[in-house]
Amino acid sequence: MFRFEEPAYLYLLLLLPLVTALYYYSNYRKKKSIRKFGDPSLLAQLMPDVSRRRPEIKFWLMLVCLGLLSVLLARPQFGSKLETVKRSGVEVMIALDISNSMLAQDVQPSRLKKAKMLVSRLVDELDNDKVGIIVFAGDAFTQLPITSDYISAKMFLESITPSLIRKQGTAIGAAINLATHSFTSQEGVGRAIILITDGENHEDGIKEAVKKAVDKGIKVHVLGIGSPDGSPIPMESTNDFRRDRDGNVIVTRLNEKMCKEIAKSGNGIYIHVDNTNSAQKAINQEINKMAKADVESKVYTEFDEQFQAIAWLILILLLCEVLILDRKNPLFKNFRLFSK
């Protein structure tokens, strides 16, 4: 596995086009100034020892050195082997409702976008923990298996839209069942399911699913998102709202009663998600209360520094730059590249 220990230094590569532009602009100004003294071809005859190519060769050598220096400072490394390491943490499965009702905007910018922002911040707060993502509407499936790779978690999170599941509904029971079977087989690890939903149009089987989770020592927390007063569901790419068969605007409401019942049965807490960050703080506190145990993770170890070869290359190029004189050298008069 290849990586850079200090990738921020790679931004120095952005200076290379600027340095090149300044160099050629300087040459342009220099040639313009020479023309004031006379014909450039005549002046060249008066200065036979002045090389036209050598300064440019020296410049490109220095430019390459600058580029290699930025790579050197970034500390390129290779991981020699994959090892299983143990870290103290917990396991969290997030079950996210992506039914069309989650497009309602009673929570800004919308229920779904607010939920994704909340999950993203939750992942940022995790440390040595494992997280997985399940999405559900009329059906449920695993979007991200439980992992300690937080970068992948946020990447998969960004790709979540209601179009992932065509079957509409709110299969909360199926989502909890799937989440319950998605944890690792390790013992003594604190486990929790975080259900994020508006709870509307839910299907049967919720109580049975929650009981199975509790019997396995898994807590079920519920984040109810939306307003009990209800909100219309916007239609994408239009200024209209979704309507029923009779042409009436569909109003979706948060089923807060059901969400509280699930949380109570799951030995968890219910949190109402509004336009503040209170829900974020509350769920983070609950995760921090969970019993931490050794969580196994696969990581690349024994990263070897690879800067030595780059350092030698920079040194060789600098020596070449020093040895190439600005003026023509009689020793190289038979070589076109250096004699001009």
Side-chain angles (χ1 to χ4, degrees), residues 100-117 162 225-226 234 273-275:
N100 287 332
S101 60
M102 291 290 285
L103 296 174
Q105 297 176 350
D106 45 2
V107 177
Q108 294 298 319
S110 72
R111 294 179 183 177
L112 182 58
K113 288 182 179 179
K114 177 69 175 181
K116 289 167 66 173
M117 290 165 58
I225 189 163
V273 180
D274 52 24
N275 289 311

Side-chain angles (χ1 to χ4, degrees), residues 92-281:
V92 177
M93 285 300 300
I94 298 168
L96 179 58
D97 187 348
I98 62 169
S99 57
N100 287 332
S101 60
M102 291 290 285
L103 296 174
Q105 297 176 350
D106 45 2
V107 177
Q108 294 298 319
S110 72
R111 294 179 183 177
L112 182 58
K113 288 182 179 179
K114 177 69 175 181
K116 289 167 66 173
M117 290 165 58
L118 191 152
V119 173
S120 179
R121 294 195 190 102
L122 188 151
V123 171
D124 289 337
E125 294 293 326
L126 296 179
D127 184 24
N128 297 333
D129 306 305
K130 287 191 173 184
V131 64
I133 302 175
I134 287 172
V135 293
F136 67 95
D139 200 357
F141 75 86
T142 302
Q143 175 76 353
L144 175 73
I146 196 161
T147 179
S148 55
D149 185 352
Y150 303 144
I151 295 176
S152 294
K154 296 187 77 168
M155 181 179 68
F156 277 91
L157 180 66
E158 285 299 316
S159 64
I160 292 176
T161 64
S163 61
L164 290 177
I165 300 178
R166 292 185 178 181
K167 183 181 177 182
Q168 284 301 300
T170 309
I172 295 175
I176 294 175
N177 273 326
L178 182 57
T180 301
H181 293 90
S182 297
F183 293 98
T184 67
S185 59
Q186 284 184 262
E187 296 182 0
V189 181
R191 296 185 173 93
I193 297 171
I194 299 177
L195 176 68
I196 307 176
T197 182
D198 55 23
E200 190 175 59
N201 298 329
H202 62 277
E203 299 176 8
D204 296 331
I206 298 177
K207 290 183 179 180
E208 293 80 0
V210 173
K211 186 177 184 304
K212 288 180 182 178
V214 171
D215 289 343
K216 291 188 175 183
I218 303 168
K219 289 188 175 182
V220 182
H221 303 298
V222 182
L223 302 184
I225 189 163
S227 167
D229 297 330
S231 174
I233 305 171
M235 293 184 65
E236 295 179 347
S237 303
T238 68
N239 294 323
D240 200 3
F241 299 101
R242 292 183 179 271
R243 299 174 182 271
D244 59 22
R245 294 179 180 178
D246 298 325
N248 300 315
V249 174
I250 299 173
V251 176
T252 172
R253 295 177 174 82
L254 167 64
N255 191 339
E256 204 163 28
K257 179 182 177 182
M258 184 211 65
C259 291
K260 289 179 179 179
E261 289 175 353
I262 294 174
K264 184 178 180 180
S265 301
N267 293 333
I269 64 169
Y270 168 73
I271 306 169
H272 179 227
V273 180
D274 52 24
N275 289 311
T276 68
N277 293 323
S278 59
Q280 181 74 52
K281 295 177 182 177

Side-chain angles (χ1 to χ4, degrees), residues 43-108:
L43 292 174
Q45 295 177 17
L46 296 174
M47 298 180 290
D49 292 334
V50 175
S51 173
R52 290 182 290 113
R53 289 186 178 178
R54 292 186 181 209
E56 188 164 342
I57 292 172
K58 289 167 69 70
F59 165 75
W60 283 107
L61 286 174
M62 291 301 296
L63 193 70
V64 172
C65 286
L66 180 60
L68 290 174
L69 179 62
S70 67
V71 176
L72 178 68
L73 293 173
R75 295 177 59 190
Q77 299 176 336
F78 280 105
S80 58
K81 63 180 180 179
L82 187 66
E83 284 188 348
T84 299
V85 298
K86 290 185 177 181
R87 296 170 177 170
S88 182
V90 299
E91 295 182 359
V92 177
M93 285 300 300
I94 298 168
L96 179 58
D97 187 348
I98 62 169
S99 57
N100 287 332
S101 60
M102 291 290 285
L103 296 174
Q105 297 176 350
D106 45 2
V107 177
Q108 294 298 319

